[in-house]
């Protein structure tokens, strides 16, 4: 491709709202153009990189037995009512009335339509395993779209869905997809970690996230610091080993005045004990009911775990008014004397004896509060947030390390969540009707590109790997419009590189050499070949790896240039 | 691909609402699945054909200098206000309020966003010509979606946009696109005719439509029947030579009673004259004002031409009440005595003398009505519908022939319509700011597939050309699960065909031979190879072109089969 016939419109300035490196470089490099918050056009350079990502994804999906389909953006709301998600999906579905007054929604994901395709096509166990995938446009009306392609509202996603006759089949499909994902990320130059994740709005049970560890990520990921242990999970899902002392003998409850002590920190300090000897009470409103959530003073509540414990209803912090109306004394509250129906307890408060807790009386607290004797809870489980330094839940000697991460893929075992509601059934070997076991698997193509930039850049621009850079080589022709020797050599190299199948950009624009070099660095073609009066004087052309220092270019005779380029590309 | 691992779910019955052959066969063949009126999922077989169509389109667009981009489905309504189309686009834009209460629309076409990309990237005449294209999803809320993929609401389109510095540049880009379109249609096995067309909601001036002549089409296309003449136009645009007699001497007006004569036909019959000697009055409401449209009695009004004559406002037939309220006497109406502001006249009524017309008095008509003397019109032009048998407007001896057609492509010279409103400007050679000359060019990929089926089928199913059939060859293995010889030979042929790069489907399903043959015919792979105990007994395998009669298969020795297949594919 000749740059003079291509669309390269780089700028020095990044948009003021750009916070991430990928947003800055993809905009400055004219890969993307913002049309509205979280909505972008893809320009020719971005299109080339995304096409390569799509090709890699297709190859891996096909190799894993996937069949490509395309499902619609606009869908009747009725099918979302069938699955039960019409009103519960987060963020809420964008919807409109069509001209026949039918409610339509913009699909943020495609479990409903793929279930319709599955139930049409699957009659018998012989019709499975089946993996359907698409690379298609979705819309999620996120209010905090930012970061360029990292978090958008309209986005393209590769979403795959597996159909199997039993849990073992689902495991096989899930593992095949996980391996395909590892291959995809590695081919795109991303060192992504696979960690346990919560299933969120998608539903189902097991799920894993692929995260690129990067400071610009919005995700929090915890991994075990032990070299032998592979445990990792995102914040929503991460577990840890809590220190418990339930065997300790329960002492007598003792009420004492604590005037002005409204926080766990202040209380523990005044009493001269660790916060781990206290029970904290936090108020949440769930389905219009105020609950008191009890957790050991040194731990924090994980709202996702609360949601899962409470059957999927979204908790939110109760307002001051709601707390007062429910009869609680904020600052001196506990579950003591409270109807256990409205108490949610973390194991850490349940299995620790003799904790300090509120007396449910202004200015008083209680010593030696014990679960079972002094309070009870109808809702119990692990609702604590894992944090850096907590003990690994899988190995004996590891501790959790906390990272920022970019979610680049997510895989789910849906099991029969959708086959039950959407009626995806098959006849098993005995002719008995059974629900299909489903899985779903997603990668955002645009986010993958942005993540690749987060992981591959320097202060001059992007350093994308050969597999997804828009071009593999740029031939920068210096002053070619005034110098026949330069022009002829540059054109000849361009022809030769194309002939051996190397995707080459010939920078034949009428631009100053400095501008061409800056563009080459910003866009980040893996290899730069400079043809200039000086390079010719020095014996040929200058060849340089994008990641090498400016001074690390080497001069090659014209007839050696192609093999020098190939050597770098294959290195 | 093995059929046992693919998704082939054919049915004998077409959906009851299916009216067109392509709707029936694409549904029966499990190429597409309807999700709502005018909204479809594409199943794996359909995906394969559409992928081939996309590849052909991309190759031709790239060869014509096009650069691929992707623009968003969801757009802020504000950019449609900028272009002036927010409230005027037909059909009305589907819209919703996002969570920040901003008005968003689903884009039915992309002139607005491509203008934004154009104005970002084009600074100087050196930045042109530029052709940007995408293959992308659009939504048009048609109320009469029907015919499967022929007329849908959500659809994928290849839309290209050209940017040039002057009209001559636009002509060059337009011609290049027209040639690319001819190549695309011919490679997809479609014999499409290029005819003049109206620009409709897109705006601009010259435009042409590519139409596949087919009875299932919703378009009406007129072509000249003379072999030397290439004139063709769709109904909205078509012109013709009207017979005129304006030179005739005007005779005296004469009022006469016509009790009970309410139609032109009845009036002409009673008077013993041809309908061409009468002036018909038709009432239209345009922007809330009733107009009388006067046209010679034997011609019909073309509403698109009326719209264009009246500056783009959509005319609709006036109601009985509106006609009465405006003071007209339906059945005896004419423009005589009417304020010329509210009269729209076709040339045929203006340039013919001594016509019969209504007296604007119940039960009376006038003889010898003449334009200029007896009535006047502020709005005059060609507003007549061309019909079969009318004289060709381009040649001397041709007459128009009327056809049903499927619009498979549409190209427009937008000129500066959008560059003016959306501010797409460039500095010319003299450094003067000038508006860019734009063009736009669209092909619906799904409609192209459906049109290809309309043009390529028989009573057993589809006969798509090799270039877009989902597979090139099907190997039907009869009883392969009980017969080692059949299995080994079928597997060996399958391997060999794949090895020479022929896309082959091995029908290895546990199905009766009759079902496999019926599927092969319905889906329509160009070549069918049958491996059966009988074929082996007869000396090898049976090879048959899809379009050949059932009896026209030939037996080939196993080692000759591949070359026999290649011979048919290349024929």
């Amino acid at each position: 491709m000749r740059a003079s016939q291509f669309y390269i419109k780089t700028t020095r300035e990044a948009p003021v709202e750009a916070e991430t490196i990928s947003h800055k470089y993809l905009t400055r490099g004219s890969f993307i153009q913002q049309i509205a918050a979280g909505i972008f056009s893809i320009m020719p350079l971005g299109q080339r990189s995304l096409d390569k990502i799509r090709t890699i994804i297709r190859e891996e999906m096909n190799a894993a037995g996937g069949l490509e389909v395309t499902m619609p953006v606009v869908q009747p709301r009725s099918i979302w009512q069938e699955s039960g998600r019409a009103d519960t999906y987060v963020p809420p579905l964008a919807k409109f009335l069509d001209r026949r007054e039918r409610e339509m929604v913009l699909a943020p994901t495609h479990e409903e339509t793929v279930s319709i395709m599955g139930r049409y096509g699957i009659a018998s166990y012989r019709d499975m395993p089946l993996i359907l995938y698409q690379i298609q446009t979705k819309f999620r009306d996120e209010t905090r779209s930012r970061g360029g392609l990292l978090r958008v509202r309209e986005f393209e996603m590769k979403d795959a869905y597996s159909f199997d006759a039993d849990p073992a089949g689902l495991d096989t499909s899930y593992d095949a997809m996980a391996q395909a994902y590892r291959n995809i990320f590695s081919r795109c130059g991303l060192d992504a970690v696979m960690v346990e994740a919560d299933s969120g709005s998608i539903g189902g049970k097991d799920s894993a996230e692929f995260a690129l560890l990067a400071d610009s990520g919005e995700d929090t990921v915890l991994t075990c610091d032990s070299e032998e242990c592979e445990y990792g999970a995102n914040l929503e899902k991460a577990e840890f080993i809590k220190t418990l002392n339930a065997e300790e003998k329960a002492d007598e409850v003792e009420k004492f005045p604590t005037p002005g002590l409204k926080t766990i920190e202040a209380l523990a300090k005044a009493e001269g004990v660790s916060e781990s000897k206290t029970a904290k009470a936090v108020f949440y409103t769930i389905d219009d009911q105020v609950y008191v959530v009890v957790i050991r003073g040194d731990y924090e509540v994980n709202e996702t775990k609360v949601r899962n414990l409470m059957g999927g209803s979204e908790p939110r912090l109760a307002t001051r008014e709601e707390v007062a109306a429910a009869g609680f004394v904020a600052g001196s509250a506990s579950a003591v004397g409270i109807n256990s129906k409205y108490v949610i307890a973390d194991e850490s408060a349940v299995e620790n004896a003799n904790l300090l807790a509120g007396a449910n009386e202004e200015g008083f607290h209680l010593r030696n509060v014990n679960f079972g004797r002094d309070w009870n809870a109808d809702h119990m489980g692990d609702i604590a947030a894992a944090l850096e330094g907590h003990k690994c839940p899988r190995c004996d000697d590891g501790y959790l390390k906390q990272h920022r991460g970019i979610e680049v893929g997510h895989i789910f075992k849906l099991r029969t969540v959708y086959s039950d509601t959407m009626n995806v059934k098959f006849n098993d070997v005995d002719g008995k009707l059974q629900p299909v076991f489903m899985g779903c698997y997603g990668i955002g193509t645009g986010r993958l590109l942005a993540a690749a930039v987060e992981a591959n850049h320097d202060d001059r621009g992007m350093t994308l790997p050969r597999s997804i850079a828009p071009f593999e080589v740029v031939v920068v022709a210096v002053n070619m419009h005034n110098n026949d020797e330069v022009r002829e050599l540059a054109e000849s190299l361009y022809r030769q590189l194309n002939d051996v199948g190397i995707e080459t950009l010939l920078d034949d624009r009428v631009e100053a050499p400095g501008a061409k070099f800056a563009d080459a660095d910003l866009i980040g073609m893996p290899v730069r070949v400079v043809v200039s009066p000086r390079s010719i004087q020095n014996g040929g052309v200058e060849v340089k790896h994008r990641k090498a220092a400016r001074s690390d270019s080497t001069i090659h005779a014209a007839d050696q240039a192609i093999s020098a380029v190939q050597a770098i590309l294959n290195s």
Side-chain angles (χ1 to χ4, degrees), chain A:
Chain A
M1 180 62 72
R2 290 166 189 278
S4 62
Q5 293 168 16
F6 199 64
Y7 184 104
I8 297 176
K9 305 295 166 187
T10 60
T11 54
R12 279 159 185 263
E13 298 303 323
V16 285
E17 73 276 13
E19 296 173 5
T20 60
I21 281 287
S22 59
H23 192 181
K24 286 175 189 161
Y25 281 157
L26 289 173
T27 305
R28 285 188 50 207
S30 62
F31 281 54
I32 61 174
Q33 179 175 40
Q34 184 161 327
I35 295 297
I39 298 179
F40 289 85
S41 285
I42 308 297
M43 292 163 141
L45 281 167
Q47 185 76 23
R48 287 184 71 95
S49 282
L50 284 170
D51 272 345
K52 294 182 181 187
I53 289 172
R54 290 182 195 114
T55 299
I56 290 171
I57 290 176
R58 282 201 175 95
E59 287 172 0
E60 296 295 336
M61 284 295 116
N62 293 347
L67 302 176
E68 191 168 355
V69 299
T70 308
M71 294 177 279
V73 177
V74 176
Q75 304 183 353
R77 185 161 175 272
S78 56
I79 66 174
W80 288 74
Q81 290 170 314
E82 200 178 331
S83 71
R85 296 202 290 183
D87 296 311
T88 60
Y89 195 86
V90 180
L93 300 172
K95 56 177 185 243
F96 66 96
L97 277 186
D98 73 6
R99 290 170 74 196
R100 300 171 192 196
E101 303 281 308
R102 296 208 187 117
E103 287 187 305
M104 307 303 285
V105 302
L106 302 192
T109 176
H110 282 76
E111 283 77 13
E112 282 74 7
T113 42
V114 88
S115 294
I116 293 172
M117 204 181 288
R119 78 187 176 201
Y120 183 85
I122 298 171
S124 135
Y125 66 96
R126 283 208 185 87
D127 296 318
M128 293 177 283
L130 173 67
I131 297 175
L132 300 174
Y133 77 93
Q134 62 176 351
I135 299 180
Q136 185 266 5
T137 303
K138 303 186 195 307
F139 187 80
R140 287 182 194 168
D141 199 358
E142 307 277 1
T143 47
R144 60 199 177 96
S145 47
R146 48 145 287 245
L149 296 188
L150 283 180
R151 184 167 292 275
V152 290
R153 296 198 291 167
E154 177 171 325
F155 58 103
E156 186 187 76
M157 190 171 209
K158 186 289 299 168
D159 43 330
Y161 304 86
S162 65
F163 300 84
D164 283 282
D166 51 36
L170 172 54
D171 288 348
T172 305
S173 293
Y174 185 87
D175 292 345
M177 283 293 116
Q179 188 53 51
Y181 274 36
R182 285 189 202 96
N183 299 346
I184 290 166
F185 297 126
S186 122
R187 290 178 64 185
C188 292
L190 284 187
D191 190 15
V193 296
M194 178 169 157
V195 299
E196 297 178 10
D198 184 71
S199 308
S201 286
I202 299 290
K205 283 217 141 176
D206 296 346
S207 103
E209 165 182 326
F210 288 82
L212 173 76
L213 305 185
D215 288 341
S216 52
E218 292 191 316
D219 255 32
T220 301
V221 168
L222 294 124
T223 58
C224 179
D225 65 1
S226 159
E227 276 184 22
E228 285 96 66
C229 180
E230 290 193 335
Y231 181 72
N234 66 13
L235 183 62
E236 287 74 35
K237 177 72 176 182
E239 301 160 25
F240 62 101
I241 302 290
K242 296 165 189 167
T243 52
L244 307 173
N245 72 342
E247 315 79 40
E248 212 178 278
K249 186 183 149 285
D251 292 331
E252 197 110 332
V253 179
E254 202 179 303
K255 185 160 106 179
F256 65 104
T258 51
L261 300 182
K262 297 275 187 190
T263 66
I264 287 293
E265 193 186 352
L267 182 70
K269 202 169 167 190
E271 279 288 290
V273 297
S274 148
E275 291 180 21
S276 69
K277 299 301 291 178
T278 68
K280 180 158 62 180
V282 190
F283 302 99
Y284 279 94
T285 300
I286 304 173
D287 290 338
D288 297 329
Q289 172 64 47
V290 176
Y291 289 82
V292 58
V293 175
V294 186
I295 191 167
R296 217 174 67 189
D298 57 333
Y299 293 149
E300 298 296 332
V301 175
N302 175 329
E303 295 183 3
T304 304
K305 291 182 179 177
V306 173
R307 186 195 66 202
N308 292 341
L309 182 68
M310 299 302 283
S313 294
E314 209 65 44
R316 63 167 174 80
L317 280 173
T319 62
R320 203 179 286 262
E321 292 71 29
E322 287 172 329
V323 171
F328 290 103
V329 183
S332 291
S334 75
V336 176
I338 303 299
N339 184 338
S340 63
K341 256 171 85 175
Y342 307 122
V343 181
I344 301 171
D346 184 59
E347 303 151 332
S348 62
V350 169
E351 301 192 31
N352 269 302
N354 300 326
L355 296 176
L356 271 176
N360 286 325
E361 187 181 334
E362 182 74 40
F364 287 90
H365 278 80
L366 304 172
R367 288 195 189 94
N368 303 325
V369 169
N370 285 277
F371 180 80
R373 183 188 71 183
D374 306 318
W375 63 288
N376 266 297
D378 286 8
H379 314 281
M380 261 189 288
D382 169 27
I383 54 163
L387 295 171
E388 170 111 11
H390 281 157
K391 238 179 133 323
C392 174
R394 294 282 182 279
C395 72
D396 284 337
D397 52 357
Y399 288 88
L400 296 182
K401 224 174 122 47
Q402 190 166 320
H403 318 263
R404 304 295 291 164
I406 300 169
E407 182 189 331
V408 288
H410 207 149
I411 60 179
F412 301 86
K413 289 186 187 169
L414 300 170
R415 297 176 60 92
T416 63
V417 173
Y418 293 91
S419 37
D420 288 337
T421 54
M422 301 288 294
N423 200 31
V424 192
K425 302 238 158 56
F426 71 101
N427 283 300
D428 67 13
V429 258
D430 305 318
K432 233 181 97 186
L433 211 58
Q434 302 278 11
V436 165
F437 281 77
M438 291 171 60
C440 82
Y441 316 93
I443 292 180
T445 55
R447 188 187 287 184
L448 182 49
L449 173 59
V453 174
E454 295 292 333
N456 297 281
H457 67 268
D458 61 19
D459 59 350
R460 289 175 284 136
M462 298 176 260
T463 59
L464 290 170
R466 173 188 187 183
S467 57
I468 64 172
F471 295 95
E472 297 175 291
V473 175
V474 58
V475 175
V476 179
V478 173
N479 294 333
M480 77 181 271
H481 297 276
N482 316 320
N483 186 316
D484 287 347
E485 213 177 347
V486 167
R487 197 186 64 243
E488 278 161 28
L489 183 49
E491 292 277 0
S492 149
L493 283 173
Y494 175 58
R495 262 197 313 276
Q496 290 175 60
L497 286 163
N498 278 328
D499 286 350
V500 295
I502 294 174
E503 286 185 1
T504 305
L505 181 73
L506 172 64
D507 197 345
D508 60 347
R509 294 175 298 167
V510 183
E511 292 276 359
K516 292 188 182 187
F517 292 144
D519 280 356
D521 279 351
L522 176 58
I523 296 166
M525 271 70 70
V527 180
R528 188 183 79 183
V529 178
V530 178
V531 185
S532 66
R534 196 172 62 186
S535 78
I536 291 173
Q537 206 174 7
N538 289 345
V541 301
E542 208 183 288
V543 178
K544 184 178 114 37
H545 191 296
R546 168 64 182 84
K547 293 186 183 176
R550 277 170 213 249
S551 51
D552 270 5
S553 65
T554 47
I555 294 285
H556 296 266
D559 59 356
Q560 300 296 312
I562 305 298
S563 51
V565 168
Q566 283 172 319
I568 296 181
L569 284 177
N570 297 331
S571 70

